[in-house]
Amino acid sequence: DKRRGEIRNTEFESMAAGLTFATLLSGLLAPNRMANLKQATTNAVKRSAAVRRHGNVQLSGEWVLDTTKSSHGALRPFLIACGAPRVFAGPLARKFDSDHLVLKAEGDEVTIETPRSGWSLPIKLQTDATYSRHKETIVATPRGPQRASLVTASHAPMAVEIIKLGPSEGEFVTEHYVTTDDGNLEQQLTHRAADGRTEVVVRRVFKRVASV
C-alpha cells in the first residue's frame, strides 16, 4: 500500500546516503578502516529502517536518564576506550548520569548537547556539537581529534546515527539515538578499536522531560 511504499522509498534514500558517504571516503581510508566504516553504515541503515516501521516519537527534546532501565555509571568502559584516565572514568560516568541530554534534529543536521549539572569536565572531551550529512565536524577527545559526520537520519526524524573517525587509524565511534513506542529515547554508543576487533558497546535509556 501507499505507506509501505513510502517506507521503502525512505529506506532506499537512507541507504543511498550511507553508501554515498562511504564511497566518498573509500579513496581516503586504509582497507581496515574502510571495512569498519562500511559495517557501521550497514548497521545504521538496518536500525533506521526498523525505527521507521515501529517508532512514532520525535527525537528533538530534552531527555534525562531513566535509572530504572539504565545501569548506574554505564559509560565507564566507553570513556576508558575513548582515552579517559581510569581514575576519572568512574566518577565521570556517574556525573554524566545526572546530566540532561538535549537533541535538536532538523533536516540534515542534528545538535547534541549535555549541559553540565554544576560540574566541569577535568579532561578534554567534547560533548556538545552539531553534526551534518554534508560536512565533517571536528570533535576533541583525550587522545586527539575525531572527524564526525551524520550518517543516517529518518525523516520524522525518529533515529539518527553519527560516526566519528579516529583519533587512531582504523578507530571509530558510532552514536545511535532512536525513539521507541513507549516514548523513551535509546542511546547506543559503540567504540571500535584500531585493530578492528575490540569493541565496547554501551546502551542507555532516557525519558523526555521537555520539548525544544
Side-chain angles (χ1 to χ4, degrees), residues 81-103:
C82 291
R86 289 179 178 272
V87 67
F88 290 135
L92 271 179
R94 292 189 291 273
K95 285 292 187 180
F96 277 123
D97 286 348
S98 65
D99 287 341
H100 288 201
L101 180 68
V102 179
L103 274 76

Side-chain angles (χ1 to χ4, degrees), residues 107-120:
D108 289 339
E109 290 189 345
V110 61
T111 298
I112 299 176
E113 301 173 347
T114 53
R116 302 281 83 82
S117 299
W119 66 285
S120 59

Side-chain angles (χ1 to χ4, degrees), residues 6-7 26 68 72 86 94 127-128 136 140 150 154 157 179 200:
E6 292 174 349
I7 291 174
S26 61
T68 66
H72 189 53
R86 289 179 178 272
R94 292 189 291 273
T127 59
D128 300 351
E136 289 185 338
L150 179 63
S154 65
T179 52
V200 174

Side-chain angles (χ1 to χ4, degrees), residues 163-177:
I163 188 164
K164 300 177 178 180
L165 303 177
S168 299
E169 182 73 22
E171 178 184 9
F172 70 83
V173 165
T174 59
E175 297 185 14
H176 181 245
Y177 300 89

Side-chain angles (χ1 to χ4, degrees), residues 20-68:
T20 299
F21 177 75
T23 301
L24 289 173
L25 290 179
S26 61
L28 303 177
L29 303 180
N32 66 322
R33 193 167 185 176
M34 190 59 207
N36 289 345
L37 176 59
K38 286 182 177 178
Q39 184 61 54
T41 301
T42 299
N43 293 342
V45 170
K46 289 179 179 178
R47 283 194 291 265
S48 291
V51 170
R52 281 188 289 277
R53 287 192 292 272
H54 304 295
N56 60 3
V57 182
Q58 291 285 324
L59 261 178
S60 294
E62 185 173 349
W63 306 82
V64 64
L65 190 70
D66 187 338
T67 55
T68 66

